[in-house]
Amino acid sequence: MDHQNTSTTLRTSTKKPTAEDELEEMQLDSFVSDGKKTREFYTEDEKTQTLNKRDYGNFALLVVLYLLQGIPIGLCFGSIPFLLKAKLSYSQIAIFSLSSWPYSLKLIWSPIVDAVYSPRLGKRKSWIVPIQILTGILFYFLGNNIDAMMSQDEIPIYALTYSFLTTIFFCATQDIAVDGWALTLLSKESLSYASTAQTIGLNCGYFLSFTVFLSFNSSEFSNKYLRTVPQEEGVLGLGHYMRFWSFMYILVTAYLVLFKKENETKDEEAELGISGVYKTIYKICKLPHMRSYVGVLLVSKIGFICHEAVTSLKLLEKGFSREDLALSVLLDFPLQIFFGYYAAKWSNGKRPLKPWLYAFYGRLACSALGMLVVAGYPQNEPVGVFYFGIIMLSTVLSSFMSTVQFVSISAFMTSIADPLIGGTYMTLLNTFSNFGGTWPKFFVLEAVDYFTINTCSVPNQTGEYVPCTPECESCTLVRDGYYIVGTVCVVAGLVMLLGYIKPIVKRLERYPKQMWRLNSDNK
């Protein structure tokens, strides 16, 4: 097999198609014309996969590895913006949000991770082990300095951004290796549960770094439930939390080195070399149906990005305590695990993306509901049980739809990935999926500030009400850009769903797995 000259094994007409859709239909028709081959692939797709008992240990290991990825993600995406909101504008938080970009750009260096390794240590462990050691060291260093940085009147936003950008870079690099390892760590009949392990692990890590940490970091929560003598600080500081996880990274790494052996598998990607992997990525992206799929991934999260990036911060801005918000996530967490397990089952079969499409409508509805929840926040009175119940309902519904979409799309990616270049293929798909939710976030946060108008409550010497500045003792909100940006996102998302995303997804689901894979000409 010549891996340097790969091409898709698709019989196409010599006539140049008039449009990309026609090319895809011609490819599908030519593939379906071979009735025996089509029946074989569809029979394989329709089989319901279950988690084999011999995979329980490896499944648990995957959960732990993904959990370690979720720890810095929960801090970067959740807790840190919450802690900074009192001192920073949405535009400044937008700058910090750039620290999450390495997770969405890991495709740039993923060929190096897939092609360079030590045979003695193992292809995936060659990266997981040193990356977790570096993450542990960085966490320990940040743990010794983060509290001082966060307590300053002028937050060093760029130093904070660079620090967490490095952390997320390590996390993204580990994700490349873990995603590839999942394809060989689990047996074939358990492969779809790799996405379930990812969902459980990342959600647990995010939950610990967001909900649990914010609760124990809160003086109100600590004084009410954990102390007999009130104090001004919570029982768990950010520095202590990060130092604890620095030791956990080292502990798990020691287990991998001493007790977990990586099984040798046929290494197609290593034979390709780094340049060959980049060429393979290019050939995968040239597949007409892959270009359609990537287009969907890049725009599919625009409709609900404002809700997920801004709504919780708006509730805090209006006076909702972060402890109550963390409590709503705490109550929601067990449901996410439950939904994640069954979403994996729903995503098996002939139409793995059917749950994803249904959940798309749900996430758009939850985004609209989020704006109503913020608009209905009780003024000058405590939050009652009814309003808290509405927030809880909104949180549960939103996370349910998000979990269904995440597991469904992950299961679909796992099923179509070519196992011969599994790490590269999975990283390619995950990169575009992650970037679809990353690139709009910065612009949404900037737009909320841009369309928001605040004026000083006290007029100046000429009697005019000027825009709010740091010197103003109090400000009056004239126009909230959150509602403008949120409405535009929901409407744009619905239009794209009906006119662009849904037709493409339904067409892509018709393709047998073989059409997503690269094979050599002489195979």
Side-chain angles (χ1 to χ4, degrees):
M1 181 185 296
D2 184 4
H3 300 289
Q4 300 297 331
N5 296 284
T6 58
S7 64
T8 56
T9 56
L10 306 175
R11 298 192 303 273
T12 59
S13 170
T14 56
K15 180 181 178 181
K16 185 176 179 180
T18 57
E20 181 179 301
D21 290 350
E22 292 181 25
L23 175 58
E24 295 186 32
E25 290 297 332
M26 290 164 60
Q27 291 174 332
L28 179 60
D29 291 341
S30 65
F31 200 96
V32 172
S33 64
D34 188 342
K36 181 178 178 181
K37 183 180 293 186
T38 304
R39 286 193 298 273
E40 290 175 356
F41 286 121
Y42 275 103
T43 301
E44 177 186 355
D45 290 350
E46 291 172 0
K47 290 180 180 178
T48 301
Q49 296 182 340
T50 58
L51 182 61
N52 194 299
K53 289 184 178 181
R54 69 173 182 268
D55 289 320
Y56 284 177
N58 289 335
F59 179 84
L61 176 61
L62 284 175
V63 170
V64 172
L65 293 176
Y66 281 120
L67 182 146
L68 292 179
Q69 294 178 37
I71 295 299
I73 291 175
L75 292 175
C76 182
F77 290 39
S79 293
I80 300 299
F82 272 64
L83 297 174
L84 294 177
K85 184 61 190 78
K87 296 183 178 181
L88 300 180
S89 65
Y90 286 104
S91 295
Q92 291 173 308
I93 294 178
I95 294 174
F96 180 77
S97 72
L98 296 176
S99 63
S100 65
W101 276 52
Y103 212 81
S104 302
L105 299 175
K106 57 189 177 182
L107 180 65
I108 297 174
W109 64 92
S110 66
I112 300 175
V113 177
D114 285 322
V116 178
Y117 65 95
S118 167
R120 181 178 179 181
L121 188 58
K123 180 175 182 179
R124 306 305 177 183
K125 285 172 59 179
S126 294
W127 287 93
I128 295 174
V129 168
I131 285 296
Q132 288 192 165
I133 293 175
L134 290 173
T135 305
I137 294 173
L138 180 58
F139 256 50
Y140 187 82
F141 172 78
L142 285 175
N144 290 329
N145 297 276
I146 192 71
D147 290 330
M149 296 172 66
M150 298 287 287
S151 63
Q152 297 180 29
D153 293 333
E154 293 290 334
I155 300 292
I157 187 64
Y158 289 101
L160 202 61
T161 301
Y162 293 144
S163 298
F164 277 91
L165 186 144
T166 304
T167 305
I168 298 301
F169 171 77
F170 290 156
C171 181
T173 304
Q174 178 179 336
D175 187 62
I176 297 170
V178 175
D179 282 347
W181 199 8
L183 295 175
T184 57
L185 199 59
L186 298 178
S187 60
K188 184 178 180 181
E189 60 266 28
S190 302
L191 198 56
S192 67
Y193 284 88
S195 61
T196 305
Q198 186 179 39
T199 301
I200 294 174
L202 288 176
N203 280 340
C204 285
Y206 191 93
F207 166 75
L208 290 171
S209 287
F210 180 37
T211 306
V212 174
F213 169 73
L214 284 183
S215 298
F216 284 86
N217 182 255
S218 165
S219 59
E220 291 83 359
F221 181 90
S222 299
N223 292 335
K224 185 175 181 180
Y225 298 106
L226 305 175
R227 291 186 179 129
T228 56
V229 179
Q231 298 181 25
E232 294 183 358
E233 302 291 336
V235 297
L236 181 62
L238 182 56
H240 290 93
Y241 181 78
M242 297 189 73
R243 285 195 294 271
F244 167 79
W245 281 107
S246 71
F247 290 111
M248 294 304 296
Y249 275 104
I250 301 301
L251 184 63
V252 174
T253 304
Y255 168 80
L256 291 177
V257 173
L258 298 176
F259 302 107
K260 186 62 181 178
K261 182 179 180 181
E262 185 174 343
N263 296 328
E264 294 184 5
T265 57
K266 186 178 180 181
D267 198 350
E268 301 278 346
E269 290 170 293
E271 296 177 13
L272 288 172
I274 297 177
S275 61
V277 174
Y278 280 110
K279 292 178 181 177
T280 300
I281 290 174
Y282 176 70
K283 290 178 180 179
I284 294 173
C285 292
K286 283 180 65 179
L287 294 171
H289 45 285
M290 180 60 73
R291 293 200 295 268
S292 299
Y293 184 47
V294 168
V296 169
L297 293 178
L298 290 178
V299 301
S300 62
K301 297 179 183 177
I302 292 177
F304 24 85
I305 193 67
C306 183
H307 170 65
E308 296 180 354
V310 185
T311 298
S312 57
L313 297 178
K314 272 294 173 184
L315 289 173
L316 291 177
E317 185 180 294
K318 285 182 171 290
F320 194 64
S321 69
R322 58 189 173 113
E323 297 76 34
D324 288 339
L325 194 59
L327 178 61
S328 67
V329 179
L330 172 63
L331 298 175
D332 167 63
F333 176 71
L335 297 176
Q336 290 192 44
I337 303 300
F338 175 81
F339 295 145
Y341 176 79
Y342 282 97
K345 290 183 174 293
W346 300 336
S347 301
N348 284 316
K350 196 172 180 178
R351 294 198 58 194
L353 291 179
K354 187 176 181 179
W356 186 86
L357 284 174
Y358 285 148
F360 200 114
Y361 289 103
R363 291 183 80 176
L364 290 176
C366 289
S367 298
L369 176 61
M371 288 186 284
L372 295 177
V373 169
V374 173
Y377 190 87
Q379 301 294 327
N380 302 320
E381 60 182 78
V383 173
V385 176
F386 177 77
Y387 184 78
F388 183 81
I390 295 296
I391 293 179
M392 187 65 218
L393 176 64
S394 174
T395 302
V396 170
L397 288 176
S398 181
S399 64
F400 166 64
M401 300 300 173
S402 178
T403 300
V404 170
Q405 277 206 311
F406 177 78
V407 175
S408 178
I409 202 75
S410 297
F412 178 70
M413 291 176 181
T414 303
S415 69
I416 66 174
D418 190 337
L420 298 181
I421 48 173
T424 300
Y425 211 117
M426 286 296 294
T427 300
L428 172 68
L429 298 177
N430 279 317
T431 295
F432 287 120
S433 180
N434 291 331
F435 194 61
T438 300
W439 74 264
K441 187 174 183 179
F442 174 83
F443 300 102
V444 163
L445 289 167
E446 289 280 1
V448 169
D449 258 358
Y450 178 81
F451 288 108
T452 297
I453 298 178
N454 286 302
T455 60
C456 284
S457 302
V458 180
N460 59 13
Q461 296 178 350
T462 62
E464 296 178 338
Y465 289 91
V466 297
C468 190
T469 62
E471 290 74 22
C472 294
E473 295 182 0
S474 62
C475 297
T476 301
L477 180 63
V478 177
R479 186 178 69 193
D480 195 337
Y482 164 69
Y483 300 108
I484 298 175
V485 177
T487 301
V488 169
C489 286
V490 171
V491 172
L494 182 60
V495 171
M496 286 190 293
L497 173 63
L498 298 177
Y500 174 68
I501 296 174
K502 187 175 180 179
I504 289 180
V505 167
K506 284 188 173 183
R507 185 172 71 247
L508 295 179
E509 283 184 317
R510 296 172 57 197
Y511 294 118
K513 294 178 183 178
Q514 190 71 6
M515 289 186 65
W516 295 90
R517 297 172 181 176
L518 298 177
N519 297 303
S520 65
D521 291 330
N522 59 359
K523 185 174 179 178

